Amino acid sequence: MAAGGGGERGSAVLELPRGPRLVCVEYPGLVRDVGKMLQTLGGEEGVSRIYADPGKRLELYFRPKDPYCHPVCANRFPTSSMLFKVKRKIRRKQLEAEGETQQEVKFEMEVLGVVSTVYKFQGMSDFQYLAMHSGPDSKQISMYDKVLMLKPEKEEFFNRELPLYIPPPIFSRLDTPVDYFYRPDVQHRDGYNNPQVSCENLIGLSRARRPHNAIFVNFDDDDVPIKPLEPAVQTWKKVCTNPVDKKVEEELRKLFEIRPVWSRNAVKANINVHPDKLKLLLPYLAYYMLTGPWRSLWVRYGYDPRKHPEAKIYQVLDFRIRCGMKYGYAPSDMPVKAKRSTYNYSLPITIKKPVSHTVSVQDLKHGLDTSSTSSAKKPAFSRYKLKIFAVLVLVAVAGRLQCNSAASIV
């Protein structure tokens, strides 16, 4: 609707549309191609998935086709804003008497919608490390065609001599600057001796191993345990207070009678048990192999796979394939979710962290299974289908019109 007749300082009366809510993304760049801009954000499907989960941050990849590109993350904020579409029409009139041209400027404004959510890129970009190496004449040579396998290759591809290129998945854990307050050295009295520190684990001394009362066995150990630890027995007896838990215990016993070696994922595929209860039940019936051909597997108490030739079929064959949205994979295509993956690593949320939903011991006593907690653990369903369009936003500041390029998401 056009502005009313109030002179140069007249006000306009606009009607708010009752259409869908809008989502604003403050893109840190000049948008010339909306398609390429959307590709850096993961496409419509990627943006819809992020918007469906309030606990996730929107990631922007300036080089979306480069697997070594580190993203810039945006935080999510609620807002109460409106998106305007302003047209400036100029009509020129030729004055016959004076021979001059007179301009008549007219503005037309339209409210496209109400913005309820905004994503702001307030953090710093992570360090970028390209797959390059210095040649004989100090020129930088690209290694992308040598380190990226874009199609099935022959053996010669893997036997080529290449410079060492093992970049970390991310350089900086935080993207916001923080003040580090240095503390002075602690002054001790005369005769004070520092406590002895174990030389076995000098990294991560501030975090001790989580006590689940499991027995860990290395491949070069002489003997294997024949019974669980007493704390493991007491812990499971304390939690096993209903018929559902007793049934799960009997099912797991039958599995170890059929086969003496099991992986955690294989147990979860054959038994309907809550993951927190499985942490307590496995140390009660089996020990954990740390190294060797049977590493990361649970073995029945008293069974030594090193002394039984038939146990060779249970050896671990570990191979890993990089899967992600960049390579045409969807989260639903992965039958087993990885416990931790450097590809899915994202910077932590620095503003308004969501409260984590933990399971207490009281919840375990009520016989929780995967069906009762699937709704709590399951990620939010992406029922939002975002549509993208580019608009020209004119913001009136102190009576002057400033033109800002913006991309809005409906």
Side-chain angles (χ1 to χ4, degrees):
M1 152 185 324
E8 295 181 355
R9 299 181 179 274
S11 61
V13 180
L14 302 176
E15 296 180 358
L16 293 178
R18 298 183 179 180
R21 296 284 180 175
L22 303 181
V23 178
C24 177
V25 176
E26 295 184 358
Y27 193 84
L30 181 61
V31 179
R32 295 179 178 176
D33 190 333
V34 180
K36 293 183 178 179
M37 179 273 298
L38 187 59
Q39 187 180 2
T40 61
L41 297 175
E44 291 188 17
E45 183 179 355
V47 178
S48 302
R49 185 178 65 257
I50 297 298
Y51 179 71
D53 189 352
K56 290 187 176 181
R57 308 175 75 187
L58 184 62
E59 295 182 348
L60 186 150
Y61 292 87
F62 285 104
R63 306 186 309 277
K65 296 182 179 180
D66 185 1
Y68 299 106
C69 178
H70 294 174
V72 183
C73 297
N75 291 316
R76 176 172 178 165
F77 298 93
T79 184
S80 299
S81 306
M82 291 181 294
L83 182 63
F84 284 89
K85 181 180 180 181
V86 181
K87 293 183 179 180
R88 182 171 179 257
K89 295 184 177 180
I90 300 177
R91 184 178 180 182
R92 295 179 174 86
K93 293 183 179 180
Q94 186 74 25
L95 300 180
E96 299 179 356
E98 301 178 359
E100 297 180 355
T101 302
Q102 182 181 5
Q103 293 185 356
E104 180 181 352
V105 182
K106 186 178 181 181
F107 294 95
E108 293 183 359
M109 294 180 292
E110 179 185 359
V111 180
L112 299 182
V114 178
V115 180
S116 59
T117 305
V118 58
Y119 287 93
K120 299 181 179 181
F121 291 89
Q122 299 175 328
M124 300 181 297
S125 176
D126 193 17
F127 299 96
Q128 307 292 326
Y129 196 88
L130 303 179
M132 310 282 289
H133 74 96
S134 298
D137 52 353
S138 300
K139 292 183 61 177
Q140 296 295 325
I141 303 175
S142 175
M143 294 193 304
Y144 283 95
D145 56 338
K146 301 177 182 178
V147 298
L148 295 181
M149 189 174 64
L150 304 178
K151 60 180 181 179
E153 299 286 351
K154 296 182 179 180
E155 185 179 358
E156 292 78 7
F157 179 84
F158 303 96
N159 294 333
R160 291 185 296 181
E161 293 292 337
L162 294 177
L164 184 61
Y165 180 73
I166 310 178
I170 200 166
F171 287 97
S172 179
R173 286 191 63 253
L174 301 176
D175 59 349
T176 53
V178 294
D179 295 329
Y180 190 87
F181 299 97
Y182 291 94
R183 298 180 181 179
D185 294 336
V186 180
Q187 301 295 331
H188 297 288
R189 297 178 181 178
D190 295 337
Y192 175 82
N193 295 323
N194 292 324
Q196 295 182 356
V197 180
S198 174
C199 61
E200 296 179 356
N201 181 20
L202 297 180
I203 300 177
L205 293 177
S206 60
R207 178 174 179 178
R209 174 172 288 175
R210 299 175 183 177
H212 289 305
N213 302 318
I215 301 178
F216 301 94
V217 177
N218 292 307
F219 182 73
D220 54 356
D221 290 345
D222 297 331
D223 301 322
V224 297
I226 59 175
K227 61 179 181 179
L229 298 176
E230 188 61 27
V233 178
Q234 297 298 332
T235 303
W236 176 247
K237 295 299 182 183
K238 186 186 301 184
V239 175
C240 182
T241 57
N242 53 70
V244 177
D245 299 331
K246 296 180 180 178
K247 180 181 178 182
V248 170
E249 178 184 347
E250 293 298 327
E251 291 178 354
L252 187 56
R253 286 184 182 274
K254 292 180 180 179
L255 289 181
F256 277 108
E257 292 177 359
I258 299 174
R259 207 173 78 183
V261 182
W262 287 86
S263 66
R264 183 184 180 87
N265 289 330
V267 172
K268 291 168 61 177
N270 287 272
I271 297 180
N272 189 13
V273 58
H274 192 274
D276 292 333
K277 283 201 170 182
L278 188 60
K279 292 181 181 179
L280 306 177
L281 180 57
L282 281 174
Y284 177 64
L285 299 177
Y287 64 90
Y288 189 80
M289 291 289 293
L290 286 175
T291 58
W294 297 277
R295 70 178 182 89
S296 70
L297 298 179
W298 291 88
V299 185
R300 185 182 63 205
Y301 283 118
Y303 183 83
D304 191 350
R306 300 169 298 181
K307 299 180 180 179
H308 296 80
E310 63 273 9
K312 62 183 179 181
I313 62 176
Y314 305 123
Q315 298 182 67
V316 175
L317 178 61
D318 190 352
F319 64 95
R320 308 183 186 189
I321 303 176
R322 180 184 288 269
C323 297
M325 299 298 296
K326 295 182 182 179
Y327 306 95
Y329 292 90
S332 59
D333 297 334
M334 300 300 296
V336 178
K337 183 179 179 181
K339 183 177 182 181
R340 58 181 64 89
S341 174
T342 57
Y343 179 81
N344 295 325
Y345 182 84
S346 60
L347 293 174
I349 297 176
T350 57
I351 300 176
K352 295 182 180 180
K353 290 187 177 181
V355 180
S356 60
H357 300 282
T358 57
V359 180
S360 61
V361 179
Q362 287 77 10
D363 297 331
L364 294 177
K365 290 183 178 180
H366 290 82
L368 294 178
D369 56 3
T370 54
S371 60
S372 60
T373 58
S374 59
S375 60
K377 298 282 186 179
K378 188 177 181 181
F381 176 69
S382 179
R383 55 188 179 88
Y384 302 96
K385 186 63 176 178
L386 304 182
K387 298 181 180 179
I388 312 298
F389 64 94
V391 297
L392 190 63
V393 182
L394 297 178
V395 183
V397 179
R400 302 176 62 183
L401 294 175
Q402 297 181 354
C403 179
N404 297 330
S405 177
S408 300
I409 303 176
V410 180

